[in-house]
Amino acid sequence: MENSIVSLVLDLMVVLIAVGFVWYGVRRGFLVMLVNTGGRLISCIVAYIASRALATTIYNVYIHDRLVSSISESISGTLSESDASVQVSVILQELPGFLRNMVYGLFGNASNISAAVGETLDGSVTAITSTIVDQVVYPIVYLVLQCLLFLVLFACLKIIIGALSETLRNLRRCILIGVPDMLAGAALGVVEGILSIFVVVVIIQLLIYCSGGQIPFLSDDTIQSTHLFRIFYNFSPFVDN
């Protein structure tokens, strides 16, 4: 019952955002909406591309080596005679609590993780730790960093574009008037609504990743039981496939 209510709320949110932006487009008119929609689209594209590059750079420069070194020093001499499942468990226990919860929540327990990476666990403590960090920790950290950076960059870019659109509010009457202006604005409102729904999806995905998938009303079953929201969710490039 609770999942059904959440599914309905998510679908209703999609409808309200779409209708809201259509009405917004009718009120603002073509010229302002052209700048708004173009700006939102450019902001999404630039923020997505930049967030990928920045997430990779931040992880490689500031996180990976320090994490591997810290864990290796803590567990040195404890893995030589352990099986893969124990190795994984020991290493994951050295992760920061919030990160460990995310790993277990999204990948399962140590046995599940060792089944996926166990065959590659060979070599020194540092090599084993690096393998687990690269194959288990990195995908989660990368997605969280990318989502956060995307939202920050998108917000900054949208502020800049928004300032430009405000300067054009009084020029709309010089381009189109009446019904054509409203219809053109409404059409662009649909596009801007879709882009706004995408941003909301990223925020929800970030919540799911940071909670390790442990938010009851935002489970995968709940999302897939929606009719509209799941379309945007499944097409998001931030989904961990």
Side-chain angles (χ1 to χ4, degrees):
M1 181 63 179
E2 180 181 347
N3 288 347
S4 299
I5 295 176
V6 175
S7 299
L8 179 61
V9 170
L10 291 174
D11 279 338
L12 183 60
M13 177 192 66
V14 171
V15 173
L16 290 177
I17 291 176
V19 172
F21 272 98
V22 169
W23 177 244
Y24 178 76
V26 170
R27 295 292 301 274
R28 283 300 186 95
F30 173 75
L31 185 59
V32 173
M33 287 303 296
L34 179 62
V35 176
N36 276 344
T37 305
R40 195 177 294 268
L41 181 60
I42 293 172
S43 297
C44 273
I45 294 173
V46 173
Y48 175 71
I49 295 174
S51 66
R52 288 174 63 88
L54 284 173
T56 300
T57 300
I58 290 173
Y59 179 83
N60 289 334
V61 174
Y62 297 104
I63 298 177
H64 178 270
D65 291 345
R66 294 180 183 181
L67 188 60
V68 171
S69 176
S70 174
I71 295 175
S72 298
E73 291 176 2
S74 298
I75 63 176
S76 180
T78 64
L79 297 182
S80 58
E81 298 181 357
S82 302
D83 60 27
S85 179
V86 174
Q87 291 177 343
V88 170
S89 180
V90 169
I91 291 174
L92 293 182
Q93 287 303 312
E94 297 299 323
L95 293 175
F98 74 95
L99 185 55
R100 183 171 63 251
N101 291 336
M102 289 166 60
V103 169
Y104 282 135
L106 296 174
F107 280 90
N109 57 33
S111 297
N112 293 336
I113 297 173
S114 65
V117 302
E119 295 182 359
T120 62
L121 297 182
D122 190 19
S124 64
V125 171
T126 300
I128 295 173
T129 302
S130 182
T131 297
I132 294 178
V133 168
D134 288 341
Q135 296 191 31
V136 179
V137 178
Y138 170 71
I140 296 176
V141 173
Y142 175 80
L143 283 171
V144 171
L145 281 175
Q146 191 184 3
C147 287
L148 281 171
L149 290 168
F150 171 83
L151 293 173
V152 171
L153 292 171
F154 176 82
C156 293
L157 291 168
K158 191 62 179 68
I159 290 173
I160 296 173
I161 300 296
L164 176 61
S165 71
E166 286 301 314
T167 66
L168 300 175
R169 292 183 62 182
N170 295 326
L171 298 179
R172 56 175 295 195
R173 297 182 181 85
C174 300
I175 307 300
L176 292 173
I177 59 174
V179 175
D181 182 49
M182 291 189 296
L183 291 178
L188 291 176
V190 172
V191 177
E192 190 163 354
I194 291 173
L195 293 173
S196 297
I197 293 169
F198 169 73
V199 173
V200 172
V201 166
V202 175
I203 294 173
I204 291 177
Q205 288 174 330
L206 181 59
L207 291 174
I208 292 174
Y209 295 143
C210 288
S211 69
Q214 299 304 305
I215 302 177
F217 56 87
L218 286 180
S219 65
D220 187 65
D221 290 340
T222 299
I223 291 174
Q224 297 307 322
S225 66
T226 62
H227 298 288
L228 299 175
F229 182 81
R230 68 180 179 185
I231 297 174
F232 297 92
Y233 187 90
N234 292 335
F235 274 96
S236 169
F238 296 103
V239 172
D240 180 20
N241 293 317

